[in-house]
Amino acid sequence: MTGEMALIGEEAYRAAKEALEAAGLQEGQLFVVGCSTSEVGGAGIGTFSSPELAEAVFGGIYQATQEAGVYLAAQCCEHLNRALILEKEAADRFGYELVNAVPQPKAGGSFATAAYKAFEYPAVVEHIKAHAGMDIGDTLIGMHLRDVAVPLRIRTGQIGDAHVVCARTRPKYVGGERAAYDDGLR
């Protein structure tokens, strides 16, 4: 791995670690990541897919999720309708229906392709409800978060040239002004 790729991998690891800590995820929960390697490399989204950048970014994020005991879900691009790649164990655990697709750099995206190649038993699903997530390069992961998303501010605001936005989720507050809430459920 070249020096630039190593730096990108370190930035991705640092951002994921910060996001996972700020989100307070518990072991076995879902962390969704959307990544435009075009944006990481300084090009416009969808214009310069890079398997090498994807492997560097994926490697850093995957290391952080493995250390935290959290499942990683990699969002595909719009050419696969933003389907997700995750370990089959996670899909089974959460009851997600599998679909048949194999991501490629230009149809699914380089990041999702890197995930598909790296996971032990990769599975593809159409929808998830993740507990937290990271959006690298404005790829719009919101559709794959649980209903109430809360922005997370982390120190690492970029990976390469790509803008990074993170969110966690929390349970809905229901019951109105007379209701009492459990402060332990953030």
Side-chain angles (χ1 to χ4, degrees):
M1 186 180 285
T2 67
E4 181 183 357
M5 292 298 159
L7 178 62
I8 295 291
E10 290 169 18
E11 288 174 346
Y13 172 79
R14 186 172 52 249
K17 191 152 180 74
E18 287 177 43
L20 291 165
E21 288 172 3
L25 291 189
Q26 298 171 9
E27 191 170 316
Q29 290 187 319
L30 282 169
F31 185 67
V32 62
V33 175
C35 174
S36 167
T37 58
S38 299
E39 292 276 333
V40 172
I45 196 166
T47 63
F48 188 72
S49 191
S50 170
E52 296 78 21
L53 280 175
E55 289 174 11
V57 173
F58 176 83
I61 293 169
Y62 193 49
Q63 180 182 345
T65 58
Q66 292 289 288
E67 290 172 2
V70 170
Y71 291 112
L72 174 59
Q75 178 183 266
C76 294
C77 73
E78 72 275 11
H79 297 101
L80 288 184
N81 299 325
R82 302 216 189 280
L84 301 121
I85 312 303
L86 65 164
E87 286 284 3
K88 186 175 181 310
E89 176 183 315
D92 290 345
R93 178 178 181 167
F94 290 99
Y96 297 137
E97 183 177 350
L98 303 183
V99 296
N100 190 351
V102 177
Q104 305 297 310
K106 296 286 186 181
S110 290
F111 184 76
T113 301
Y116 193 89
K117 290 179 180 177
F119 287 154
E120 188 172 357
Y121 298 105
V124 184
V125 301
E126 286 188 285
H127 307 285
I128 65 170
K129 289 292 187 180
H131 301 90
M134 180 165 45
D135 187 319
I136 305 165
D138 304 318
T139 60
L140 305 174
I141 63 164
M143 68 185 76
H144 298 304
L145 293 171
R146 294 187 316 167
D147 288 342
V148 182
V150 179
L152 288 176
R153 304 290 181 227
I154 64 171
R155 290 182 306 281
T156 306
Q158 282 189 225
I159 297 175
D161 289 335
H163 179 238
V164 174
V165 175
C166 300
R168 67 173 175 85
T169 62
R170 66 158 175 79
K172 296 177 184 180
Y173 294 151
V174 296
E177 66 184 43
R178 290 199 228 175
Y181 299 106
D182 181 348
D183 291 334
L185 296 176
R186 343 183 280 134

